[in-house]
């Protein structure tokens, strides 16, 4: 058998494979790899949107951070831990074998609970209005931020368990307070501000869980902020926009 007869179909097969995969001598047009469409505007504020109509209308701008925010959180956690520890220790006053009379044990248990409970309540009352962070809710398209009496603010404080608690408030609502550890007392918002707040909160809370949703500040809500030291320019404008401040 002729060797060339055997190699001819093999060479023909290799040539076809080379043309199919775009070899150096192939006349086939190479296929282009299309990258998926990526729109830089589809991600805004940490959320994904399917269309431009769903994009956020507002941006959150940091203005103030409490210098004792971390210390306040640690103090709250330590206070709650001491209260829990005191409650857990009460049964041992009566379960342990001892010559101490039951009346004395009761006095010790009541004293322990009263001391830890009163200190926790006092610390909770003092740190409840402490503002850890304050942000301005500004228009997404605005180049400069102007602080007016109806500029929405996001004020974050701490709950009893030292969890962040955020409320929406307007400078018009903030009235000066004479209560210790309190800079402002919130007033009831007008109907115009309440309607504006509903629109903002609907967008802010749309991706938040029920327990983490931002609430509108209500009448007599207390807030405490450091105003004695240096503050940012925007914070100075907020202080000036609040009634009785500046």
């Amino acid at each position: 058998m002729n060797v060339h007869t055997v190699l001819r179909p093999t060479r023909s097969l290799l040539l076809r494979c080379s043309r199919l995969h775009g070899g150096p001598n192939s006349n086939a047009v190479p296929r282009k790899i299309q990258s998926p469409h990526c729109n830089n505007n589809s991600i805004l504020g940490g959320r994904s949107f399917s269309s431009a109509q769903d994009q956020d209308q507002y941006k959150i701008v940091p203005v103030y951070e409490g210098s004792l925010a971390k210390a306040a959180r640690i103090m709250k956690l330590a206070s709650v831990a001491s209260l829990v520890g005191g409650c857990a220790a009460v049964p041992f006053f009566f379960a342990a074998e001892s010559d101490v009379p039951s009346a004395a044990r009761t006095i010790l248990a009541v004293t322990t609970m009263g001391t830890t409970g009163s200190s926790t309540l006092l610390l909770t009352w003092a740190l409840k209005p402490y503002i850890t962070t304050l942000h301005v809710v500004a228009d997404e398209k605005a180049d400069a931020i102007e602080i007016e009496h109806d500029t929405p603010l996001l004020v974050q404080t701490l709950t009893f368990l030292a969890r962040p608690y955020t409320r929406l408030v307007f400078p018009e609502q903030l009235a000066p307070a004479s209560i210790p550890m309190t800079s402002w007392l919130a007033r009831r918002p007008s109907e115009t501000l309440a309607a504006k707040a509903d629109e903002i909160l609907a967008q802010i809370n749309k991706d938040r869980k029920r327990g983490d949703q931002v609430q509108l500040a209500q009448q007599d809500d207390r807030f405490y902020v450091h105003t004695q030291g240096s503050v940012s320019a925007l914070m100075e404008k907020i202080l000036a926009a609040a009634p009785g401040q500046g």
Side-chain angles (χ1 to χ4, degrees):
M1 182 181 292
N2 193 345
V3 177
H4 295 285
T5 306
V6 177
L7 293 180
R8 186 176 295 110
T10 305
R11 184 181 302 173
S12 177
L13 179 61
L14 292 175
L15 182 60
R16 291 180 183 179
C17 292
S18 176
R19 291 178 179 178
L20 179 63
H21 293 282
N25 297 324
S26 172
N27 295 325
V29 179
R31 291 179 298 175
K32 295 181 180 180
I33 301 175
Q34 298 291 342
S35 60
H37 177 69
C38 178
N39 186 0
N40 294 331
N41 296 326
S42 62
I43 301 177
L44 191 61
R47 303 187 182 97
S48 298
F49 301 93
S50 58
S51 64
Q53 296 178 353
D54 296 332
Q55 291 180 359
D56 282 345
Q57 181 182 351
Y58 305 101
K59 59 183 176 181
I60 310 300
V61 181
V63 173
Y64 167 85
E65 182 176 359
S67 58
L68 299 177
K70 293 183 179 179
R73 185 174 184 273
I74 294 174
M75 291 175 65
K76 271 183 166 288
L77 291 176
S79 178
V80 172
S82 66
L83 179 61
V84 173
C87 295
V90 169
F92 292 97
F93 283 104
F94 303 96
E97 295 182 0
S98 177
D99 296 335
V100 179
S102 298
R105 298 187 186 192
T106 302
I107 293 175
L108 288 174
V110 171
T111 302
T112 301
M113 290 296 301
T115 303
T116 56
S118 59
S119 62
T120 301
L121 289 176
L122 180 61
L123 187 65
T124 300
W125 179 87
L127 295 180
K128 183 178 181 180
Y130 188 84
I131 297 177
T132 56
T133 59
L134 190 149
H135 296 74
V136 173
V137 183
D139 193 305
E140 177 65 30
K141 299 180 181 179
D143 296 330
I145 300 176
E146 298 294 336
I147 304 297
E148 304 292 344
H149 67 92
D150 60 347
T151 300
L153 310 173
L154 291 180
V155 179
Q156 187 179 93
T157 55
L158 297 175
T159 64
F160 176 75
L161 297 177
R163 292 189 59 190
Y165 177 45
T166 307
R167 279 164 287 182
L168 177 69
V169 68
F170 300 91
E172 184 178 305
Q173 291 182 257
L174 302 176
S178 57
I179 305 174
M181 294 297 296
T182 304
S183 303
W184 296 316
L185 274 178
R187 302 186 297 187
R188 187 185 302 276
S190 62
E191 294 183 0
T192 304
L193 292 182
K196 184 176 181 179
D198 290 341
E199 178 184 351
I200 297 173
L201 292 176
Q203 187 170 118
I204 293 178
N205 292 328
K206 63 183 178 180
D207 291 335
R208 290 174 176 259
K209 297 181 180 179
R210 186 177 183 84
D212 296 331
Q213 290 186 347
V214 180
Q215 305 292 332
L216 177 62
Q218 300 300 319
Q219 186 172 359
D220 295 332
D221 282 354
R222 298 186 300 130
F223 299 105
Y224 177 73
V225 62
H226 297 291
T227 57
Q228 293 79 13
S230 59
V231 295
S232 63
L234 285 177
M235 191 62 190
E236 291 181 354
K237 294 180 179 180
I238 293 173
L239 294 173
Q245 304 293 331

